[in-house]
Amino acid sequence: MESFSSKHMAMKAQKKILSHMASKSVVQMFIDDTSSEILDELYRVSKEHTGNKAEAQKVVKNLIKVAVKVGVLFRHERFSPDELCLAQEFKKKFHHGVMTAISFQEVEFTFEKTVMIDNLVICRDVLLQLVEKHLTPKSLDRIRHVFNHYSDPDLLTNLYNPEGPLWPNLTKICAGLNKLIEEGKL
């Protein structure tokens, strides 16, 4: 018996096409303006921190590719009931991490690097567990790359330094995250 599925092929094609189209114009078709602004600030933070435009672009491109691919999997109902529980756990942990990040930015002298790193590592691990059966090893490496980049202790220390050059970027990121929360998108 042949195991061909047009739905499965369509999903694979979407994932493949979208993985090659992570440009700003394509992102705007899939991502709202606020999310796009947050991604732009994340790019600026990465570029300033690494001093490497290509690396900053790669991190944000990987972030976009992963988000779109997970969205495609979800839209095509590819997750099992157990995986949907993991998706809920990821959503909860991610929301908690976002709230923590915002709180650290809004309340002076509360930033704890280890708490932020732990939040990011937990989110990374849950997301990897969620998609490990659905994405290629290359896509799983993209997830690791993004989370490992933004959980870098030096980056976080510089980002949360009120006197540092990244503070204005963090302020814009947190304002965008707050807006997404108020709109019920996060």
Side-chain angles (χ1 to χ4, degrees):
M1 183 165 129
E2 198 173 324
S3 65
F4 177 81
S5 165
S6 59
K7 185 176 179 180
H8 179 70
M9 289 301 293
M11 183 194 61
K12 282 181 72 169
Q14 279 182 333
K15 284 176 19 185
K16 188 70 171 175
I17 290 167
L18 292 171
S19 73
H20 293 288
M21 299 172 53
S23 68
K24 187 167 183 170
S25 60
V26 172
V27 168
Q28 289 177 337
M29 290 190 313
F30 295 100
I31 299 176
D32 61 63
D33 289 342
T34 304
S35 298
S36 182
E37 290 166 11
I38 292 169
L39 290 169
D40 288 346
E41 291 304 323
L42 287 171
Y43 164 76
R44 290 180 189 105
V45 164
S46 296
K47 184 179 170 193
E48 175 72 26
H49 176 70
T50 64
N52 184 334
K53 180 180 176 181
E55 174 62 16
Q57 288 174 338
K58 184 177 178 181
V59 170
V60 173
K61 191 172 185 176
N62 283 345
L63 174 58
I64 293 165
K65 285 181 177 185
V66 167
V68 169
K69 286 182 179 187
V70 172
V72 168
L73 289 169
F74 190 77
R75 196 175 99 219
H76 284 274
E77 300 176 355
R78 303 304 296 180
F79 295 124
S80 70
D82 287 344
E83 289 169 333
L84 287 173
C85 288
L86 277 174
Q88 281 302 113
E89 181 182 348
F90 174 77
K91 184 178 176 182
K92 180 179 163 190
K93 299 283 186 191
F94 188 75
H95 186 268
H96 174 74
V98 166
M99 296 300 289
T100 302
I102 292 168
S103 173
F104 285 164
Q105 188 271 332
E106 290 177 344
V107 182
E108 284 189 58
F109 309 113
T110 59
F111 172 65
E112 291 185 44
K113 177 174 39 183
T114 56
V115 172
M116 284 301 299
I117 292 170
D118 289 347
N119 281 334
L120 288 164
V121 167
I122 289 168
C123 286
R124 179 199 65 203
D125 292 347
V126 173
L127 182 59
L128 285 168
Q129 195 177 354
L130 171 65
V131 298
E132 67 187 349
K133 296 176 185 167
H134 303 282
L135 299 181
T136 65
K138 188 173 182 178
S139 291
L140 299 177
D141 285 343
R142 285 186 178 112
I143 292 169
R144 289 182 194 95
H145 179 234
V146 169
F147 279 93
N148 292 347
H149 176 80
Y150 288 111
S151 64
D152 176 84
D154 291 335
L155 183 143
L156 290 170
T157 299
N158 292 331
L159 187 62
Y160 279 91
N161 177 359
E163 306 300 319
L166 300 178
W167 186 258
N169 304 95
L170 178 64
T171 302
K172 291 175 187 174
I173 291 167
C174 289
L177 292 171
N178 265 324
K179 185 175 179 184
L180 291 178
I181 290 169
E182 288 169 11
E183 294 172 352
K185 295 179 181 176
L186 191 61

